[in-house]
Amino acid sequence: MKLFPFKPDVTLSLTALILRLATIPMISHGWKKLINFSEKVDAFPDPLHVGHNFSLSLTIFAEFFCGILIVAGLFTRLATIPLIICMLVIIFIIDQGQPFLESETAILFCMIYFAILVIGSGKYSLDNAIRKTY
């Protein structure tokens, strides 16, 4: 008896969908930053020394807009790149290279985004609806 009664491509697509849905909490992080932009901008970290305004804008772009693209499965692999960079900045710059003390959540999200980058959006996505890759 098989553990999963699905074909391998269906199992991979379901896994991709589950991973994409696991990014929904990141959208809410970005949404909170977006609606409170003016209150957060002055206190927001500027780890890349590009200015607080631009740092917060890049973070909102990654967390909110790229998060929506990933959940929808549209331009999925491209949308993971800003989020992976954002998580790596949190892990190694914001948390000062001590990733296992402060940034368990960022590490988990980074692993999810990297997995999505590798396996793609799967059968149940807008990418597939447009390109018909499955």
Side-chain angles (χ1 to χ4, degrees):
M1 182 175 153
K2 291 183 180 179
L3 182 61
F4 295 107
F6 306 114
K7 293 180 180 180
D9 64 325
V10 173
T11 303
L12 183 63
S13 291
L14 285 173
T15 303
L17 176 63
I18 291 167
L19 285 172
R20 289 190 356 254
L21 293 176
T23 66
I24 291 173
M26 189 57 62
I27 297 169
S28 68
H29 284 277
W31 175 249
K32 290 175 191 172
K33 290 177 179 80
L34 180 62
I35 63 173
N36 297 310
F37 188 90
S38 59
E39 293 89 27
K40 291 188 173 282
V41 71
D42 291 330
F44 196 78
D46 182 21
L48 303 177
H49 308 292
V50 294
H52 297 284
N53 193 352
F54 194 60
S55 291
L56 181 56
S57 298
L58 288 174
T59 303
I60 290 170
F61 170 74
E63 292 180 357
F64 185 69
F65 295 105
C66 291
I68 289 172
L69 290 173
I70 288 173
V71 170
L74 184 63
F75 306 115
T76 308
R77 285 188 165 132
L78 286 175
T80 60
I81 295 169
L83 281 159
I84 290 170
I85 293 169
C86 185
M87 294 302 110
L88 290 174
V89 167
I90 291 169
I91 294 165
F92 292 109
I93 298 176
I94 301 294
D95 292 339
Q96 299 168 350
Q98 300 177 3
F100 298 107
L101 299 176
E102 304 271 336
S103 30
E104 296 90 359
T105 305
I107 292 169
L108 289 172
F109 273 115
C110 192
M111 285 193 255
I112 289 170
Y113 298 136
F114 185 73
I116 294 169
L117 177 67
V118 171
I119 66 172
S121 58
K123 184 177 184 179
Y124 311 111
S125 66
L126 290 176
D127 282 340
N128 184 55
I130 294 168
R131 295 185 190 101
K132 298 287 187 201
T133 55
Y134 283 91

